[in-house]
């Protein structure tokens, strides 16, 4: 009598890990249930027990990124400083996954970590003087702006191969530098920075600073 080999147990968290690795390297379009089934040596039907379709799997990726947001503890600092810290925590969780950052947007008001972040953000905005409705709108647009900041990271949008990336950046710099300086004196003089930020950390710090400064500016105008 031939003994049956026990069915391989599938850990959905490990499937999400694998999908995250593929999506980071190749983009969400490269993630398929069939490909993941092959990696985990199971049939596609085994995956369907945990994820009803690819959209469900991508939602799980969005949830994973939100779960990685480490919110700072409430403090006695001014509301805008605490808000800056919350938005920084969100961006920090997304920075390593620029191709997937936009997967978090539809999950913020669905996944528990996203709801916690939304509630905290609105608490700080209302503490600053916004009405609840305005806090909702300002919070939504701020999050959208920061997701765009990550997805448009100039370095992350380049090829992952260092040589290919540097060749691409060199061509872009040369194209700007070749413009007539009399007509575009500032563009040509800042060609390097326009193509590639001098510091990735500074790129994100400035983006968050601009969002918080904009929020304070809107509040000042309303008052």
């Amino acid at each position: 009598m031939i003994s049956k080999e026990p069915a391989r147990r599938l850990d959905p968290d490990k499937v999400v890990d694998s999908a995250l690795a593929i999506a980071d390297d190749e983009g969400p379009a490269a993630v398929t249930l069939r490909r993941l089934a092959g990696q985990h040596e199971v049939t596609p039907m085994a995956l369907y027990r945990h994820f009803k379709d690819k959209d469900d799997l991508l939602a799980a990726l969005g949830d994973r990124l939100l779960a990685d947001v480490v919110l700072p503890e409430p403090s006695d600092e001014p509301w805008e400083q605490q808000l800056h810290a919350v938005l920084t925590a969100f961006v920090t969780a997304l920075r390593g996954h620029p191709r997937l950052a936009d997967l978090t947007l539809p999950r913020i008001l669905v996944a528990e970590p996203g709801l916690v972040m939304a509630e905290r953000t609105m608490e700080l905005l209302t503490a600053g003087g916004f009405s609840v409705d305005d806090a909702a709108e300002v919070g939504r647009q701020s999050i959208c702006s920061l997701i765009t900041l990550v997805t448009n990271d100039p370095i992350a949008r380049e090829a992952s191969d260092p040589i290919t990336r540097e060749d691409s950046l060199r061509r872009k710099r040369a194209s700007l530098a070749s413009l007539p300086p009399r007509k575009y004196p500032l563009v040509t003089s800042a060609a390097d920075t326009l193509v590639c930020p001098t510091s990735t950390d500074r790129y994100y710090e400035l983006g968050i600073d601009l969002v918080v400064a904009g929020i304070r500016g809107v509040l000042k105008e309303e008052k």
Side-chain angles (χ1 to χ4, degrees), residues 90-206:
F90 178 59
V91 170
T92 299
L94 299 189
R95 281 180 58 171
H97 311 280
R99 292 182 173 183
L100 311 180
D102 57 354
L103 294 179
T104 60
L105 186 58
R107 304 299 299 172
I108 288 175
L109 298 180
V110 178
E112 181 67 16
L115 285 166
V116 170
M117 183 178 70
E119 184 70 19
R120 178 79 172 280
T121 300
M122 289 185 64
E123 283 177 357
L124 293 170
L125 290 169
T126 53
F130 286 100
S131 69
V132 172
D133 286 342
D134 282 349
E137 193 58 51
V138 169
R140 173 175 35 233
Q141 294 201 27
S142 299
I143 291 298
C144 288
S145 296
L146 293 175
I147 290 173
T148 300
L149 181 74
V150 176
T151 59
N152 285 284
D153 181 328
I155 298 299
R157 288 171 64 88
E158 295 290 338
S160 57
D161 175 65
I163 295 176
T164 304
R165 180 172 64 243
E166 187 52 41
D167 286 345
S168 173
L169 293 174
R170 188 180 298 112
R171 286 192 299 271
K172 292 177 180 178
R173 292 187 188 103
S175 177
L176 286 182
S178 67
L179 293 170
R182 290 184 180 179
K183 188 174 182 180
Y184 305 107
L186 298 178
V187 170
T188 52
S189 65
D192 286 354
T193 304
L194 287 171
V195 168
C196 178
T198 54
S199 163
T200 302
D201 287 342
R202 179 57 180 154
Y203 167 82
Y204 284 108
E205 289 168 3
L206 183 59

Side-chain angles (χ1 to χ4, degrees), residues 210-223:
L210 287 171
V211 168
V212 175
I215 291 171
R216 292 181 63 184
V218 169
L219 185 60
K220 186 177 180 180
E221 287 182 1
E222 290 189 350
K223 288 181 176 179

